[in-house]
């Protein structure tokens, strides 16, 4: 039922985006000869640190690349820590389209747990749920973020049935918010993020131009805030 609802929003035509290397920029040129996406500047060396509750999330645009179906993608590392201990370590693979959109080409997810009584307490790999790669098991690319979003736009962020099916809806392009490391006034992009794999999840994300994602607010009001932003 939730998948049918998504089809009503994005359209019911076959989802088969044109994933061709000719349509994407060289990631090493982003920030020099290629203008970065204003809401997700995919510039090597950019780093974001977020805090919410007892979790800290560090996101770094590395200098690594991943070749996926002929498209050179930038590797972005995302580490979630709880009370200083890693609980998730993900490598995301992104590519910037010629029109500035950032495409989501896959992710390698590793989830960890620690056990009471272990000495020393070392994270143990327990799951890789959510991992996908374009071209593997019929997975298709999605769009992480648009370069020129308009209210009402709805797009698939991920397209790997049963693993990753996130969807985003643009609900505002003149949002206002403030967090420790950034703020935006009447120019924040706001999206509603959801997935048919878990219909109860709804999150609003705020993106400040030139910085990127600065805030995530869960349905229960829990805030994940940007506390540090570094750009080389």
């Amino acid at each position: 039922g939730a998948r049918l609802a998504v089809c009503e929003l994005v359209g019911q035509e076959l989802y088969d985006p044109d994933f061709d290397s000719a349509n994407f920029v060289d990631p090493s040129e982003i920030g020099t000869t290629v203008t970065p996406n204003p809401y997700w500047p995919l510039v090597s060396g950019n780093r974001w640190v977020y805090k919410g509750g007892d979790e800290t999330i560090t996101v770094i645009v590395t200098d690594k690349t991943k070749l996926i179906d002929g498209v050179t993608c930038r590797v972005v590392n995302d580490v979630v820590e709880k009370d200083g201990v890693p609980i998730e370590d993900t490598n995301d693979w992104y590519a910037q389209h010629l029109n500035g959109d950032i495409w989501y080409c896959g992710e390698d997810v590793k989830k960890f747990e620690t056990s009471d009584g272990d000495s020393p307490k070392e994270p143990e790999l327990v799951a890789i749920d959510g991992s996908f790669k374009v071209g593997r098991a019929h997975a298709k690319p999605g769009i992480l973020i648009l370069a020129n979003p308009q209210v009402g736009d709805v797009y698939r962020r991920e397209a790997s049935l049963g693993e990753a099916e996130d969807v985003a809806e643009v609900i505002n392009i003149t949002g206002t918010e403030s967090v420790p490391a950034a703020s935006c006034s009447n120019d924040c992009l706001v999206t509603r993020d959801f997935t048919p794999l878990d219909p109860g999840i709804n999150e609003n994300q705020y993106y400040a131009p030139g910085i990127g994602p600065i805030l995530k607010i869960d349905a229960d009001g829990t805030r994940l805030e940007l506390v540090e932003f570094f750009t080389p």
Side-chain angles (χ1 to χ4, degrees):
R3 283 175 173 154
L4 288 173
V6 169
C7 286
E8 290 294 331
L9 289 169
V10 302
Q12 302 198 35
E13 293 185 4
L14 175 69
Y15 182 74
D16 191 22
D18 186 12
F19 193 61
D20 187 313
S21 60
N23 298 330
F24 296 89
V25 306
D26 180 346
S28 66
E29 298 296 324
I30 300 174
T32 55
T33 62
V34 173
T35 302
N37 180 294
Y39 302 108
W40 227 110
L42 199 60
V43 177
S44 182
N46 276 0
R47 182 179 72 241
W48 300 260
V49 180
Y50 303 88
K51 286 188 180 293
D54 56 4
E55 289 189 357
T56 300
I57 301 176
T58 303
V59 179
I60 299 174
V61 182
T62 74
D63 59 0
K64 300 176 182 179
T65 59
K66 181 81 169 177
L67 189 65
I68 300 178
D69 273 10
V71 175
T72 302
C73 303
R74 179 62 74 194
V75 179
V76 176
N77 184 241
D78 182 326
V79 176
V80 182
E81 295 178 308
K82 186 174 183 178
D83 297 324
V85 179
I87 60 172
E88 188 172 307
D89 190 337
T90 302
N91 281 330
D92 296 300
W93 304 316
Y94 300 144
Q96 182 167 315
H97 196 275
L98 292 173
N99 67 7
D101 295 347
I102 301 295
W103 284 41
Y104 201 174
C105 308
E107 59 180 329
D108 178 18
V109 183
K110 299 180 180 70
K111 298 180 181 180
F112 302 92
E113 288 181 1
T114 55
S115 301
D116 292 337
D118 288 353
S119 182
K121 276 194 174 184
E122 296 179 339
E124 172 190 355
L125 178 65
V126 294
I128 58 171
D129 298 354
S131 298
F132 76 101
K133 181 182 179 183
V134 169
R136 179 186 295 158
H138 308 292
K140 301 286 186 180
I143 295 178
L144 177 72
I145 198 79
L146 300 170
N148 185 32
Q150 302 298 317
V151 173
D153 288 343
V154 182
Y155 48 94
R156 296 184 184 272
R157 279 204 164 138
E158 304 168 327
S160 178
L161 289 176
E163 285 293 341
E165 301 182 35
D166 288 5
V167 181
E169 177 184 12
V170 177
I171 59 176
N172 197 350
I173 57 174
T174 58
T176 297
E177 261 294 352
S178 181
V179 296
S183 62
C184 51
S185 180
N186 299 317
D187 62 353
C188 233
L189 166 65
V190 187
T191 63
R192 177 177 74 93
D193 301 342
F194 58 100
T195 173
L197 293 178
D198 192 344
I201 291 180
N202 269 280
E203 301 172 339
N204 285 358
Q205 291 216 49
Y206 289 74
Y207 300 81
I211 297 176
I214 65 170
L215 174 66
K216 180 189 295 183
I217 305 177
D218 293 343
D220 63 2
T222 301
R223 293 167 65 93
L224 181 71
E225 300 182 335
L226 181 68
V227 297
E228 178 185 328
F229 173 64
F230 172 81
T231 187

